[in-house]
Amino acid sequence: MRTSWEEAGWERLADGVARRRLPQWDATVGVVAGTTGVLLVDTGSGLAEGAELRRQVRGVLGREVSHIALTHPHFDHVLGTAAFAGVTVFGATGMGELLRREPEALLTDAVRNGADPGAAAEAVDTLVVPQHAVCGERTLDLGDRHVLLANVGPGHSAHDLAVCVQGSAGGPEVVFCGDLVEESGEPQAGPDALPACWPAALDRLLSLGGEEARYVPGHGAVVDARFVRTQREELARRFGVSPV
């Protein structure tokens, strides 16, 4: 018997579009369902979370995830991908090479932030990295809807990918932002961030979504264009980036 998104602990954003805030690091994952495909946006922080997400999507939709889009290469957004063997995975250009080249850095970051060392090591060892690199923009056909994958970075990382979902029946567009936008706290700028480029990445994000879109941060509540624009201005001041 199928469940609803709400019964499974997800927030429904539009027809066939939902997201869930995962408990430990408040990282957001999203799902976009079409008639011929199901896209998952990010996969959580480990095999257990990934497997739970897979079961939940199956329980609501009655079918499996067919595509994954990874918004950036941080552990709390990618380590669940190991639970999705055989699924087509997309990431910004260079992300796959980075994850193959630096698995130990991914593991170290996960453990430093509180992940169980054994579970994190297993997820890193079996990690499914993006097979398809997005340079510029790429459109996914999920049957009755098209989803735009846009390489809008660098900013929060060197490999930031946005996922833009056209609204149905005249509804607003939904934009999954990854950690380019954070609502639950100040945006985190780690060692792989490119602060001088971050405001421009948010400009590109706003140009894709427009004023009426619902913007889904990597952490926190769904926001509007005004919030994204304010965060862009705050980041520019924080990092000393001159206005355009």
Side-chain angles (χ1 to χ4, degrees):
M1 182 176 178
R2 293 188 192 177
T3 60
S4 69
W5 288 120
E6 291 80 5
E7 289 171 331
W10 292 62
E11 176 186 359
R12 185 178 177 277
L13 303 175
D15 184 30
V17 185
R19 69 93 176 240
R20 183 181 171 198
R21 293 169 68 172
L22 298 172
Q24 189 165 1
W25 289 280
D26 190 32
T28 283
V29 296
V31 68
V32 184
T35 55
T36 62
V38 177
L39 170 69
L40 189 69
V41 182
D42 289 342
T43 60
S45 63
L47 277 165
E49 277 190 342
E52 181 186 12
L53 294 169
R54 191 167 196 164
R55 287 192 297 270
Q56 289 178 340
V57 171
R58 186 193 305 124
V60 174
L61 298 176
R63 46 201 177 104
E64 298 289 342
V65 171
S66 58
H67 301 77
I68 288 172
L70 298 175
T71 62
H72 62 290
H74 293 165
F75 81 95
D76 51 333
H77 295 262
V78 306
L79 285 187
T81 315
F84 294 88
V87 174
T88 303
V89 183
F90 295 86
T93 297
M95 181 176 173
E97 291 80 358
L98 173 70
L99 293 174
R100 292 187 192 95
R101 186 175 65 247
E102 301 183 9
E104 289 303 317
L106 189 64
L107 175 58
T108 298
D109 189 40
V111 174
R112 181 173 58 244
N113 281 279
D116 175 78
E122 182 181 11
V124 170
D125 287 345
T126 56
L127 182 63
V128 178
V129 304
Q131 311 103 345
H132 300 281
V134 180
C135 178
E137 298 178 358
R138 180 165 182 165
T139 301
L140 294 184
D141 183 354
L142 300 180
D144 60 337
R145 73 192 323 155
H146 292 82
V147 178
L148 180 69
L149 307 182
N151 187 340
V152 295
H156 174 71
S157 76
H159 310 285
D160 292 312
L161 187 74
V163 178
C164 305
V165 186
Q166 186 174 11
S168 60
E173 188 160 340
V174 177
V175 181
F176 291 94
C177 309
D179 285 4
L180 283 169
V181 179
E182 295 191 42
E183 185 276 335
S184 55
E186 185 177 76
Q188 298 301 301
D192 61 339
L194 287 90
C197 301
W198 202 330
L202 293 184
D203 288 337
R204 288 190 286 274
L205 199 66
L206 287 164
S207 70
L208 287 169
E211 289 301 309
E212 302 303 319
R214 304 185 73 191
Y215 293 89
V216 185
H219 302 266
V222 176
V223 300
D224 58 13
R226 181 179 180 181
F227 180 96
V228 177
R229 189 170 292 106
T230 297
Q231 193 156 93
R232 181 242 185 262
E233 294 167 356
E234 291 171 349
L235 285 166
R237 286 193 295 270
R238 176 179 167 188
F239 297 124
V241 179
S242 299
V244 177

